[in-house]
Amino acid sequence: MPLGPDDSPGLLLWRATLRWQRAVAAALAPFDLTHVQFVLLACTDWLNRQGELPNQLAVATFADTDVKMTSQVVRKLEEKGLLVRAFDPVDSRARLLRVTDRGAELIRRAVEEVERADAEFFRAVPDTAGLNTILRRLAGRQP
C-alpha cells in the first residue's frame, strides 16, 4: 500500500507548524508585532533580565535566527521604541541591546497571549513533556 501525505512526518510537521504560526500571529496582532519581532524582543528581554546586555550576535545565537535578518528586525524594534541599540565599548562594530520600559511591558503582555495561544493549540497533545523532549531533539537542543 503506497504511503500518502498523512504518512509523511515532514509534511505533517509543516502543516502543524503553519497552524501554530497562524495562531501565534493572531495572538500578536493586537501588539503590532510579527512573530520574529516577538521572538527577538522576548529573547532580548529575557537576557536583559538575566543581567546581560547582549549584542545582536548573542541575541541571534540565542534565538537561533539569521544574523543579518536579526539586525534588520532589531532596527525595526528600535524604530518602534521597544528597544535601544548602543555601541559596544569593546567592539565598535557591535551593538548592545536593551529593552525599553515600553518594550518590557509590551513583551510581558504579548508573552501572556502567546502562552494562551500555545496552551490552546497544544491542548490536544496528551504528553506535552514528551513532545517537548522530541522537539528539543529535532531542534538540536539535546542529544
Side-chain angles (χ1 to χ4, degrees):
M1 181 164 165
L3 297 179
D6 285 343
D7 298 308
S8 168
L11 182 58
L12 290 171
L13 181 59
W14 171 255
R15 288 176 173 167
T17 299
L18 289 176
R19 282 191 61 231
W20 172 74
Q21 286 176 332
R22 283 192 293 272
V24 171
L28 291 173
F31 302 99
D32 189 31
L33 290 173
T34 67
H35 199 162
V36 70
Q37 288 172 349
F38 167 79
V39 169
L40 293 174
L41 186 61
C43 287
T44 304
D45 183 60
W46 191 88
L47 291 167
N48 286 175
R49 286 186 289 110
Q50 304 311 304
E52 295 182 37
L53 200 58
N55 62 29
Q56 291 177 180
L57 177 60
V59 172
T61 300
F62 187 77
D64 226 356
T65 54
D66 176 76
V67 176
K68 188 172 184 177
M69 183 267 304
T70 297
S71 178
Q72 293 168 348
V73 173
V74 162
R75 262 182 272 170
K76 186 67 172 175
L77 292 170
E78 185 178 38
E79 288 171 13
K80 290 181 172 192
L82 302 176
L83 61 74
V84 292
R85 297 181 309 156
F87 285 101
D88 184 340
V90 177
D91 180 357
S92 62
R93 297 168 299 163
R95 301 291 180 271
L96 301 177
L97 305 179
R98 183 184 56 77
V99 175
T100 64
D101 290 344
R102 181 172 166 245
E105 174 57 24
L106 181 83
I107 200 61
R108 183 193 62 74
R109 291 184 294 124
V111 164
E112 288 174 4
E113 289 306 312
V114 168
E115 286 177 351
R116 235 187 296 284
D118 277 357
E120 175 64 24
F121 183 83
F122 290 106
R123 113 188 123 136
V125 177
D127 178 17
T128 54
L131 175 62
N132 285 345
T133 297
I134 292 166
L135 292 173
R136 277 188 214 97
R137 283 187 196 135
L138 293 174
R141 294 298 204 191
Q142 83 180 40

